[in-house]
Each structure stands twice: as C-alpha cells, then as structure tokens.
Amino acid sequence: MSGNKFKGIDAYPVTPFSESELFEFLQQGNLDESKEVFDCQLPLLEFICSRSLPATVKAGLELLGIEVRAWRSPILPLPTEEREELLHFLDRLGVIESV
C-alpha cells in the first residue's frame, strides 16, 4: 500500500482509465467526462478499498492476465466468492472478456 490517505488511487492498475486521464479531464474543466469516468469506476474502487487493498489489486492483476509474484503472508488470496465478484466488476467495466 502506498501509505497515502487516498487508498483508491492504488487501485487504478485494474481500472480501464488511468488516474492521469481523470486528472486531465479535471484540469481541462471537462467535469462531465471526469464524473462519468469516476462514476464508472466507483463501485470497483469501493469494492477494492473495502477489502485488503494489496490482495484485491493483486487478484485483479491476475484476472487481467498479468503475472504477479507468489502470495506471501500476511497477504492472502481473495476468497473465491470475492474473486468472482471482482471478475464481474472488471467484466462490467469492459477490461476483460465477458464471463
């Protein structure tokens, strides 16, 4: 975890938009576009931040097909039910093929 108070920013590797795109929309005054991007991602960010952030992001990267290092204590893999829920969030965002 980054240690900052904005935990959700750590989740951006598993979201379809980069935080820089969101920031650019805000800088350009494109509030409608920035709200649309954020609202699209909010359920996923809430899910990620309500659990073990490192475990959830790592599981998301695995689901995206990105190789990650072996799980080490104290970080444990997500339970199957939560992993499936994460998979559905990623599917709804269009970042993985339909499940």
Side-chain angles (χ1 to χ4, degrees), residues 15-91:
T15 61
F17 303 98
S18 71
E19 61 186 275
S20 63
E21 287 175 293
L22 184 58
F23 185 70
E24 285 175 27
F25 282 140
L26 290 169
Q27 270 193 320
Q28 296 166 0
N30 296 328
L31 298 181
D32 290 338
E33 289 88 350
S34 61
K35 183 173 178 359
E36 184 178 329
V37 168
F38 184 76
D39 287 347
C40 175
Q41 295 177 41
L42 184 59
L44 174 62
L45 295 172
E46 289 175 335
F47 175 82
I48 290 171
C49 292
S50 69
R51 286 148 180 82
S52 165
L53 183 67
T56 310
V57 170
K58 188 171 186 171
L61 292 171
E62 284 180 331
L63 291 169
L64 292 172
I66 298 170
E67 189 174 330
V68 296
R69 293 183 180 180
W71 292 91
R72 294 182 296 158
S73 182
I75 300 171
L76 301 174
L78 287 182
T80 302
E81 191 175 285
E82 290 182 11
R83 191 175 170 93
E84 288 174 6
E85 192 174 350
L86 178 58
L87 181 64
H88 287 289
F89 277 117
L90 296 174
D91 179 43

